[in-house]
Each structure stands twice: as C-alpha cells, then as structure tokens.
Amino acid sequence: MAYKVSRPNLTFAEKIYLPSVLAGLRITLGHLWRMLRGKTHVVMQYPEEKWDSHLPEYYRGAPTLVRDEHGRTRCVSCQLCEFICPPRAIRIKPGEIPAGDKFGKVEKYPAEFDIDMLRCIYCGLCQEVCPEQAIFLQKQYALTGTARTQLMHNKEKLLEMGGIKTGLVNKWNEKK
Ligand code: SF4
Ligand code: SF4
C-alpha cells in the first residue's frame, strides 16, 4: 500500500532561501575576520613550518632499527618481521655470531637488513611481531629521494634513523 509522506509547510523566508544563505555567509565572514587578525591559522608553510610537535604518541612513521644503550643492534635476525610484512618490503640476510663470542648465545645478527620504503605501507606489523623490541615505527614521515634506490633503506640507514632505545632486550637477558 502506498504511503503518503506529508510535506512541511515552508514559511516565505524558507522558500526564498535568503536567510539561510546570509547565515552561511555570516559564518564564512567570521572565519575571514579571525584569519585577518591572525587568530586562525589556515595554511602551514611547509617545510619551514612542521606539524611534528602535534604528532600523537601513536603516530606511525617510517620503520627503523634501534640499538640498545651499549650501541648494539637489538635485532637477532629471526626474520619474523620479514615473514609478516604484507607487501614484502623487508629483506634480511642473517649473519652468525661465533660460539666463543661474548654474545654467542644470541647466535644471529642481521648481516643485511633492507626495507623498501616504496613498498612499505606503514602498517606497524613488523614492530608488533618483533620479539626483541628491535624495530620501531618512529615519527619520520618526510622521506624523499631523487632515485628509487634512495628509498631502499639499508641497515646503516635504519640504525641511524632509529637511534637508541633503552629497556628490556630479551637477547641480552641472562635468564633467557
Ligand atoms: S610497517 Fe608494515 S609494510 Fe612497512 S616494513 Fe613494517 S610490516 Fe612491512
Ligand atoms: S627486527 Fe625483530 S622481528 Fe625483525 S628480524 Fe630483527 S628481531 Fe626479528
């Protein structure tokens, strides 16, 4: 059965739309007035101005490798991050730590560790899965280059970007 929708009866002012147009203009002019007095900041002059200080704690920028307070890379080359990375952006070549070495019980270290930033989707899965707190998505977002190879971050570049993070590192824990 057809249902008849009743239409509201518009006033004359509503029919000519003019009051609504003027109300909208009033808001726009208010913004313009505040902007002219410097109270509303509309345009950011990037790169002179940056948004860095406003980035939230949980912001996910470029993935990086970190060292501990002794300058040692935390990565044990377990390759979990390489396995989990959805776009296959990570490539690791494990190296072996000799048994007689002070850190021989760790067994492996990353001889090569590359992240292709043209593939990375900043998902954070590598950070989530890492058992050694060795890879972190930090706040770097301005990644540029004039060639594709410049966006292939190798181990040295990743460690330089990552810096030092202190705290529990399982591989150096004698009880593990
Ligand atoms: S953030 Fe995601 S896409 Fe980027 S390297 Fe880590 S797992 Fe791969
Ligand atoms: S960064 Fe973490 S998950 Fe990736 S290989 Fe190193 S220890 Fe394993």
Side-chain angles (χ1 to χ4, degrees), residues 64-65 73-82 90 92 110 113 126-127 129-135:
T64 62
L65 286 177
T73 170
R74 290 181 164 204
C75 176
V76 295
S77 205
C78 69
Q79 294 176 280
L80 276 176
C81 55
E82 184 178 21
I90 301 177
I92 300 167
F113 196 120
C126 49
Q127 176 178 315
V129 82
C130 180
E132 297 291 337
Q133 303 152 356
I135 187 165

Side-chain angles (χ1 to χ4, degrees), residues 29-78:
L29 291 172
H31 283 305
L32 179 65
W33 177 239
R34 278 192 292 281
M35 198 184 79
L36 290 175
R37 288 187 301 154
K39 293 202 169 175
T40 306
H41 199 58
V42 179
V43 177
M44 178 176 281
Q45 302 295 332
Y46 185 86
E48 288 78 15
E49 289 178 334
K50 289 201 171 73
W51 190 248
D52 296 20
S53 59
H54 301 282
L55 293 176
E57 264 316 296
Y58 46 82
Y59 182 82
R60 294 200 305 248
T64 62
L65 286 177
V66 297
R67 296 180 192 272
D68 66 10
E69 58 270 39
H70 306 294
R72 295 172 294 214
T73 170
R74 290 181 164 204
C75 176
V76 295
S77 205
C78 69

